[in-house]
Amino acid sequence: MGAKLSGSGGGRYAVDANSEINVTPFVDVMLVLLIIFMVAAPMAAVTVKVTLPNAVAKPSTNPPKPVYISIQESGRLFIGDIPTEIATLGDDLRKNIGNKRNPEKERIFIRADKGVLYGDFMGVMNQLQDNGFYSVALIGEDKN
C-alpha cells in the first residue's frame, strides 16, 4: 500500500479541485432544527383553559402632545406655531397645555436659533421657572 505525498505532477493520484458546494451538512443541521422545533412547539403552547376576570385598570391614554417653544434670531417667541411674548409666556403655556395636566410635570422643549442672544434665551428660561415649568429639554440638530 502506497500513497503519493507530493502534490506536484500529474499521474494516477492527482486530485483536481472540487468547486461544488457540499449541502449535506446544511441539510443535516436543518433537519435537526426542524425536529427540535416540532418537539418544542407543543410545549410552548398553553393548554390549560382558564376563564380570566375582567380588568379594572383604566386603559392607558396616548402620551400628551409635546410642547415646543421656538426662539427666532430676532427674539420672537412661539409656542408651537402661536406667537407669544416673554411677559405672557407662562399664561400662554397654561392655555396651550390645558387644565388636565400638572405644569410642574410637563416637559417643555426649547428650539432656539443659533444666533439667539444668550440674554433672550435666559429670559425664557427664567420665565419658565417663575411659572413652575422646571422640566426643560433643549433641541439641537443632529449632525449624523
Side-chain angles (χ1 to χ4, degrees):
M1 205 143 123
K4 184 175 182 180
L5 297 177
S6 74
S8 63
R12 186 171 158 183
Y13 298 106
V15 178
D16 292 331
N18 184 5
S19 63
E20 294 179 15
I21 298 174
N22 187 3
V23 295
T24 304
F26 176 72
V27 172
D28 290 343
V29 170
M30 295 310 285
L31 287 174
V32 168
L33 287 175
L34 178 67
I35 292 169
I36 289 172
F37 285 124
M38 287 175 58
V39 170
M43 290 182 210
V46 178
T47 58
V48 177
K49 301 293 181 198
V50 176
T51 304
L52 297 173
N54 293 331
V56 293
K58 296 178 185 176
S60 63
T61 59
N62 292 336
K65 179 182 162 190
V67 178
Y68 292 99
I69 295 178
S70 300
I71 309 171
Q72 289 183 333
E73 188 174 6
S74 62
R76 292 187 61 203
L77 289 176
F78 294 87
I79 299 174
D81 295 331
I82 304 166
T84 187
E85 297 294 326
I86 190 79
T88 60
L89 182 62
D91 294 332
D92 291 342
L93 267 175
R94 282 190 187 83
K95 287 178 191 173
N96 188 301
I97 293 171
N99 294 331
K100 59 186 172 200
R101 295 189 255 167
N102 297 332
E104 55 271 352
K105 293 184 179 179
E106 185 66 34
R107 175 165 283 186
I108 308 297
F109 295 92
I110 297 181
R111 301 171 57 233
D113 192 277
K114 64 181 174 182
V116 169
L117 295 175
Y118 185 70
D120 293 341
F121 176 76
M122 285 307 297
V124 171
M125 293 291 291
N126 290 335
Q127 196 67 14
L128 289 173
Q129 287 184 353
D130 291 344
N131 286 283
F133 297 98
Y134 297 109
S135 180
V136 177
L138 303 178
I139 305 291
E141 187 171 350
D142 191 12
K143 292 287 184 182
N144 294 335

